[in-house]
Amino acid sequence: MRMLKRPGFIASIILILVYLAIGIAGQEGHLLAIVGNAMDTMMYIGWALALAVIMSYAGYVSFGHAVFVGIGAWMTALTIESIMPSHPFTISMFIVALLLGAGVAALVAYAVGWVVLRLRGAYFAIATIGLDYVVLYLAIYMLSRAGISPPMLFRNLNLTVQDFYWMHFIVFIVTLFVVYYIKVSRFGFGLAAIREDEEAAEVMGVDTFKYKLMAFTLSALIAGMWGVPLAFRHAKFDPQDVFSLLNSVIMIVENTVGGLGTFLGPIVGAYIYYGLYWSLLTKIAQASFVVLGPLIVIIIALVPEGLVGWLREKFPRLRKVLE
Amino acid sequence: MAGEILRGENLVKRFGGLVAVNEVSFEVKKGEIFGIIGPNGAGKTTLFNMISGVYKPDEGRIIYEGRDITNLKPHERARLGIARTHQVVKPFPGLTVLENIAVGALFGPRYGKISEDEALEIAREVASFVGLGDKIELPAGALNVQEKKRLELARALAAEPRLLLLDEVLAGLTPAEIDSMLGLLRKVRDEKGVTIMMVEHVMHAVMNIAERIMVLHFGRKIAEGPPEEIANNPDVIAVYLGDPSLALKFVKRRGGAS
Ligand SMILES: Nc1ncnc2c1ncn2[C@@H]1O[C@H](COP(=O)(O)OP(=O)(O)OP(=O)(O)O)[C@@H](O)[C@H]1O
Ligand SMILES: [Mg+2]
């Protein structure tokens, strides 16, 4: 298969090997800080790639996409505290949480998408913000009915940083391969056609509604998976935190800064975002978002096509490499 | 009727108070080149939009290969072998020429039957067939209008359609380019047996290539027949051709280009 020789695939393999090495080296205590950063970057890349399927590939911006990460975290809470309340942590608990988190996120997206994807872009964008608030208040309501005032703290599962790391790593591998495969498959061609000109795509035989719905559902499924390691790592489900609009904005920023329409763009965008965030955070702590916001606006104003998009335009020879 | 590929029955399309297509019926035979002419705003593109499924007719039916397709979505019609080009070109600007054409191959009647790699291979062949062989790696947005028209044709051809709708593919081309495009279209019909419906303003070209021509005026069909007959039809001359001697000259050129 030609696909296996392509840059996106090779880049995925390299990333996986690097993170594998960090995970193994991270057994040493003094590397804990790096392990933390590595986990963060895997998560931010995961978020970016999740949204990329609908935003970057198909051209439909989902403004409230954090809702699906939140659903994943919620389902994790449910798994730990209600479905398997007396189990010690085993890999099966993680798998149940993953299936539930990804599955429910995908179902919700399918139902919502089935209604709003019949409309064109703007309605869709607004819909996911609305959905985010609905699910946020639903979660708070359900918690209060169970007598819990958020955040809901999980019982002690005796997990180590290494455990969290490998959880991130597993979801990371799945994300890279699924999102890369979508890009190079017929499905990816169809989504690109929709992004570029929806009417022409439909006339050429792309079932635009079905493809948009599939893209949105898959995008939510991946975001849902990312809620699981997040919840385990923080050992809590805090609706205000996971459903925050800020998380949705981060996903959009990563895609925009990296460049739309490519597989590598969201990955590069995630590193840029995290790099800026981290370097500012360590210097000016609380003020970081105040500085980060305008900084990102400036970047987007300077390179509206995103870094990868800009490189592709500037150096056409790179087009083959930066897919 | 035997040998028929497409039939429109009493097609009507209204936009508010305007009747863009008014009770138009026609039939197209398998393997023929069927021209559609008429002044600006006559309803030609609207008729194409109804055949390709972009608009649903307000009245009437469309029968394709013996099957009523009036209620099918555009992508379903594409999979049945109906492909088209757009008068106002609609390339996928951010995709390369090769990728643009591959979309046509992947989602046409061969949907599900060929792989992505095969589609790219077909795209390469079709690109050189329409004369875009040296442009395949360029983003479609970087092409000039003439090249974009060729790209539209290539995307449609890559699908291996049985019915090809061409909306003014000759507009803006130089006489030499028109001759080469006509040669290309004849080849498509003769070698691949594709039925072609073409909307055209370049009168001598359509007179030259089409076997039958339908004339629309204010949404109504006012004439239909072989080019010679159309060129001499007084109604047509009155509304469209204006100058009969000029029209005759066009007809005499028939067969000149190949
Ligand atoms: N989507 C639309 N909404 C409203 N009016 C439309 C629409 N599409 C076409 N029309 C109108 O319908 C009429 C027929 O338009 P159409 O584009 O079919 O003409 P045409 O024969 O293709 O003309 P041209 O030679 O200029 O391309 C025109 O009066 C046009 O303004
Ligand atoms: Mg027209």
Side-chain angles (χ1 to χ4, degrees):
Chain A
M1 288 275 277
R2 174 148 61 195
M3 180 181 116
L4 304 184
K5 291 192 204 119
R6 291 174 51 164
F9 182 79
I10 295 166
S12 301
I13 296 290
I14 292 173
L15 278 174
I16 288 168
L17 291 177
V18 168
Y19 280 97
L20 179 69
I22 295 173
I24 293 168
Q27 312 283 352
E28 315 276 326
H30 66 277
L31 285 173
L32 272 187
I34 293 176
V35 169
N37 286 339
M39 251 191 288
D40 289 345
T41 49
M42 279 194 279
M43 183 187 78
Y44 280 121
I45 290 173
W47 285 11
L49 287 175
L51 181 64
V53 175
I54 187 74
M55 173 177 169
S56 174
Y57 289 3
Y60 274 71
V61 187
S62 166
F63 274 101
H65 218 62
V67 65
F68 301 114
V69 177
I71 289 174
W74 188 0
M75 293 305 119
T76 308
L78 219 63
T79 305
I80 295 172
E81 302 295 335
S82 308
I83 297 172
M84 309 173 84
S86 53
H87 289 58
F89 178 80
T90 53
I91 188 80
S92 62
M93 184 184 279
F94 176 62
I95 291 170
V96 170
L98 263 188
L99 293 176
L100 210 58
V104 173
L107 272 177
V108 170
Y110 187 88
V112 171
W114 198 84
V115 178
V116 296
L117 281 171
R118 288 168 195 281
L119 317 165
R120 294 264 155 130
Y123 299 95
F124 173 74
I126 295 161
T128 52
I129 296 185
L131 179 67
D132 190 57
Y133 279 100
V134 169
V135 181
L136 166 64
Y137 289 112
L138 188 68
I140 292 173
Y141 171 74
M142 297 298 270
L143 288 184
S144 78
R145 273 194 42 165
I148 303 165
S149 66
M152 169 189 181
L153 302 175
F154 301 164
R155 66 199 162 90
N156 187 0
L157 292 166
N158 288 316
L159 294 170
T160 65
V161 175
Q162 269 74 35
D163 295 324
F164 301 139
Y165 189 88
W166 297 121
M167 286 182 188
H168 280 74
F169 187 64
I170 290 168
V171 179
F172 186 61
I173 294 176
V174 174
T175 304
L176 285 174
F177 285 135
V178 171
V179 178
Y180 176 68
Y181 181 71
I182 291 173
K183 163 87 183 162
V184 296
S185 65
R186 179 179 66 208
F187 182 40
F189 272 91
L191 294 181
I194 290 171
R195 176 189 70 228
E196 299 287 325
D197 189 322
E198 191 163 339
E199 188 190 312
E202 173 74 29
V203 165
M204 290 177 70
V206 179
D207 188 343
T208 52
F209 176 66
K210 180 175 134 200
Y211 268 34
K212 287 187 292 180
L213 187 57
M214 272 166 62
F216 186 47
T217 304
L218 276 169
S219 174
L221 185 145
I222 297 164
M225 284 197 312
W226 281 100
V228 178
L230 179 77
F232 272 110
R233 182 182 178 187
H234 295 294
K236 65 175 183 187
F237 169 50
D238 186 349
Q240 298 282 3
D241 227 31
V242 286
F243 292 112
S244 112
L245 209 53
L246 180 66
N247 291 346
S248 299
V249 172
I250 290 172
M251 297 179 185
I252 295 170
V253 163
E254 290 173 322
N255 275 278
T256 316
V257 167
L260 298 184
T262 62
F263 171 69
L264 296 174
I267 298 177
V268 171
Y271 281 120
I272 294 176
Y273 170 79
Y274 185 73
L276 288 174
Y277 165 76
W278 184 254
S279 52
L280 287 173
L281 184 75
T282 47
K283 292 197 180 69
I284 28 181
Q286 293 309 315
S288 68
F289 280 115
V290 180
V291 182
L292 194 54
L295 202 59
I296 282 162
V297 171
I298 291 169
I299 293 177
I300 292 172
L302 287 178
V303 250
E305 62 280 63
L307 188 68
V308 171
W310 180 79
L311 286 171
R312 278 165 64 93
E313 228 163 74
K314 210 80 191 158
F315 308 99
R317 288 175 158 276
L318 285 179
R319 285 187 153 264
K320 278 219 162 81
V321 185
L322 298 174
E323 68 169 348
Chain B
M1 183 202 134
E4 163 198 294
I5 186 166
L6 185 79
R7 187 167 81 240
E9 293 178 356
N10 285 310
L11 292 170
V12 177
K13 181 69 197 173
R14 302 185 193 90
F15 296 108
L18 176 91
V19 189
V21 173
N22 201 347
E23 295 186 0
V24 171
S25 298
F26 62 91
E27 61 185 50
V28 181
K29 298 192 197 82
K30 244 181 214 126
E32 89 174 318
I33 298 182
F34 186 85
I36 301 170
I37 62 172
N40 289 331
K44 307 178 295 292
T45 298
T46 304
L47 184 68
F48 268 16
N49 279 332
M50 286 193 282
I51 299 171
S52 62
V54 175
Y55 297 151
K56 208 176 161 295
D58 294 312
E59 287 168 37
R61 298 197 306 160
I62 300 167
I63 313 292
Y64 170 72
E65 295 184 337
R67 171 176 174 191
D68 187 340
I69 60 164
T70 318
N71 291 315
L72 294 188
K73 295 204 184 106
H75 74 265
E76 294 170 312
R77 302 185 195 202
R79 303 235 175 116
L80 291 178
I82 301 179
R84 73 173 286 182
T85 68
H86 296 89
Q87 177 176 2
V88 180
V89 289
K90 284 175 153 299
F92 303 125
L95 303 187
T96 64
V97 167
L98 196 67
E99 289 165 338
N100 264 270
I101 306 174
V103 171
L106 276 173
F107 291 94
R110 285 182 291 192
Y111 175 80
K113 298 189 191 97
I114 59 169
S115 71
E116 295 78 13
D117 287 354
E118 284 168 325
L120 289 167
E121 215 32 66
I122 293 167
R124 228 173 271 279
E125 285 164 24
V126 178
S128 38
F129 182 72
V130 301
L132 288 173
D134 53 342
K135 301 258 156 59
I136 52 174
E137 295 299 342
L138 286 182
L143 300 180
N144 64 34
V145 174
Q146 198 255 112
E147 291 163 337
K148 281 180 182 156
K149 295 227 162 200
R150 283 176 184 272
L151 177 59
E152 285 259 329
L153 181 65
R155 274 193 324 195
L157 288 177
E160 290 220 325
R162 297 195 286 279
L163 175 63
L164 182 57
L165 312 175
L166 304 175
D167 200 348
E168 300 198 21
V169 278
L170 304 178
L173 303 192
T174 66
E177 286 164 354
I178 288 178
D179 277 357
S180 96
M181 188 66 111
L182 290 183
L184 208 68
L185 296 179
R186 275 209 190 86
K187 220 161 114 188
V188 166
R189 193 270 303 270
D190 296 345
E191 290 175 12
K192 303 184 177 170
V194 180
T195 308
I196 298 176
M197 287 178 84
M198 60 190 301
V199 165
E200 208 43 74
H201 276 304
V202 183
M203 204 49 57
H204 75 265
V206 71
M207 291 282 172
N208 182 311
I209 195 173
E211 276 113 27
R212 286 193 304 140
I213 291 174
M214 166 164 83
V215 188
L216 297 182
H217 183 46
F218 285 123
R220 286 190 177 277
K221 172 166 149 181
I222 58 164
E224 185 187 277
E228 296 82 357
E229 215 176 288
I230 294 298
N232 295 313
N233 181 315
D235 292 341
V236 176
I237 291 167
V239 303
Y240 194 79
L241 295 172
D243 181 353
S245 62
L246 202 63
L248 278 175
K249 254 193 273 171
F250 291 147
V251 174
K252 284 206 189 103
R253 272 200 56 181
R254 190 169 160 76
S258 63

